[in-house]
């Protein structure tokens, strides 16, 4: 739905909304899938870990699942195709997939760069590419998760920040090529998820030391559920939010 076409209020889609969540096995994507399902939306949850998807599907009857890897163009297309086939159409997708190793640029080899860019940018482009015809039919929405690191790549996460900067440019490009499509970008601040679960503890400690030394220490992080609530809010809002930034509330609590 375009902002000035006088069409139906998208919030009126309510329980009828058919959503694809890519990267739904943990963290923000998983929390969003659950939040959306509980709010009455139908959700196709996708990711690589089948056992996680099985467990998620068991939590709510509105959740269906598909195993897939966004580094495969065919899998990206299959995720969209499965949502359309199972739900009879697609009203929105949320690209909650993301990855990054932790380490300085001098240790980041080409394989690491390629894995980050393929997961965080190329997969996002391929999911959107497959979804576009369906979203244009339904007046649907595309939502990507970016990071505050895009504008300010933090030490040890520079390739990640670069991938999010590329994602941001891609989002602007989708909007330019498809002005009738609502392309949302939610910029996320520090959130408790499994994002750093596989990071080497010694390198993580070194990162904390570097951040403290450079005054980059962050506030208490948000929960994945808090972020999920806000994502659902903007996704089904009658307003085209386009760019939203979510950061922790840092005001003193009485
Ligand atoms: N946590 C934060 O502080 C923070 C801050 C800013 C932005 N973000 C962004 O928020 C999004 C969600 O991250 P998160 O924090 O929730 O991290 P997370 O808990 O690690 O979740 C990442 C998700 O991405 C999926 N994924 C990774 N590689 C994949 C691949 N090749 N194919 C399909 N799925 C893949 C994972 O599933 P499988 O491994 O099962 O495939 C998982 O479901 C990411 O875009 C991240 O950049 C997070």
């Amino acid at each position: 739905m375009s902002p000035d076409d006088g069409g139906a209020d998208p919030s009126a889609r309510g329980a009828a909304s058919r959503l694809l969540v890519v990267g739904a096995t943990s963290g923000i994507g998983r929390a969003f899938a659950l939040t959306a399902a509980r709010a009455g939306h139908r959700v196709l949850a996708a990711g690589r870990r089948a056992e996680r998807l099985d467990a998620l599907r068991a939590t709510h009857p509105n959740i269906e699942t598909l195993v897939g890897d966004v580094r495969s163009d065919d899998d990206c297309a299959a995720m969209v195709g499965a949502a359309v086939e199972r739900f009879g159409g697609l009203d929105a997708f949320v690209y909650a997939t993301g990855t990054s190793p932790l380490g300085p640029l001098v240790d980041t080899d080409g394989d690491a760069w390629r894995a980050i860019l393929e997961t965080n940018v190329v997969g996002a482009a391929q999911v959107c590419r497959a979804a576009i015809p369906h979203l244009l039919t339904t007046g649907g929405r595309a939502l990507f998760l970016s990071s505050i690191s895009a504008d300010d790549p933090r030490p040890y996460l520079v390739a990640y920040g670069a991938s999010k900067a590329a994602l941001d440019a891609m989002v602007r490009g989708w909007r330019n090529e498809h002005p009738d499509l609502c392309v949302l970008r939610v910029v996320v601040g520090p959130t408790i998820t499994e994002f750093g679960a596989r990071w080497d503890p010694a390198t993580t400690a070194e990162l904390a030391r570097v951040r403290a030394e450079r005054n980059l220490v962050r506030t208490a992080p948000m929960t994945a559920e808090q972020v999920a609530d806000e994502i659902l809010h903007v996704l089904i809002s009658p307003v085209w939010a386009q760019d939203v930034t979510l950061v922790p509330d840092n005001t003193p609590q009485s």
Side-chain angles (χ1 to χ4, degrees):
M1 177 180 310
S2 70
D4 55 3
D5 67 0
D9 177 348
S11 65
R13 286 198 296 252
S17 281
R18 301 155 293 183
L19 309 177
L20 167 65
V21 184
V22 184
T25 58
S26 66
I28 297 167
R30 181 182 182 281
F32 175 79
L34 266 172
T35 299
R38 286 172 180 150
H41 303 275
R42 298 183 71 189
V43 175
L44 180 70
R48 291 170 302 180
R49 285 171 288 180
E51 70 290 353
R52 292 287 191 100
L53 292 173
D54 290 345
L56 180 61
R57 191 174 59 241
T59 61
H60 202 284
N62 282 350
I63 298 179
E64 299 197 24
T65 56
L66 185 74
V67 175
D69 186 334
V70 298
R71 295 179 71 185
S72 154
D73 290 7
D74 289 346
D75 282 10
C76 291
M79 291 171 191
V80 172
V84 171
E85 192 184 314
R86 295 185 202 185
F87 301 153
L90 183 67
D91 295 306
F93 74 79
V94 172
Y95 194 83
T97 307
T99 191
S100 183
L102 183 68
L105 275 171
V106 290
D107 293 339
T108 308
D109 62 17
D111 285 345
W113 271 100
R114 279 182 284 276
I116 294 167
L117 291 169
E118 286 178 13
T119 306
N120 299 357
V121 190
V122 180
Q126 296 313 307
V127 168
C128 196
R129 181 171 161 242
I132 281 274
H134 307 288
L135 297 178
L136 291 177
T137 302
T138 58
R141 297 179 173 193
L143 190 150
F144 300 93
L145 296 186
S146 189
S147 166
I148 52 175
S149 307
D151 293 334
D152 183 19
R154 299 300 166 108
Y156 291 20
L157 288 167
V158 176
Y160 172 72
S163 76
K164 291 300 187 181
L167 181 84
D168 289 356
M170 187 199 72
V171 165
R172 293 193 296 275
W174 280 117
R175 288 175 187 158
N176 286 343
E177 290 191 5
H178 295 277
D180 284 347
L181 180 70
C182 180
V183 184
L184 287 143
R185 183 184 65 121
V186 177
V187 180
V188 181
T191 308
I192 304 163
T193 67
E194 296 181 20
F195 195 76
R198 286 182 290 278
W199 290 349
D200 166 51
T203 316
T204 305
E206 173 64 9
L207 172 68
R209 191 191 63 72
V210 168
R211 282 184 171 165
E213 201 174 87
R214 299 181 195 183
N215 272 334
L216 295 174
V217 176
R218 302 256 178 77
T219 53
M222 299 176 285
T223 65
E225 289 71 24
Q226 287 175 319
V227 174
D229 281 348
E230 298 304 322
I231 293 172
L232 183 61
H233 178 72
V234 295
L235 191 68
I236 65 171
S237 169
V239 173
W240 275 32
Q242 290 215 326
D243 296 302
V244 173
T245 299
L246 306 174
V247 291
D249 179 355
N250 194 28
T251 54
Q253 305 295 307
S254 57

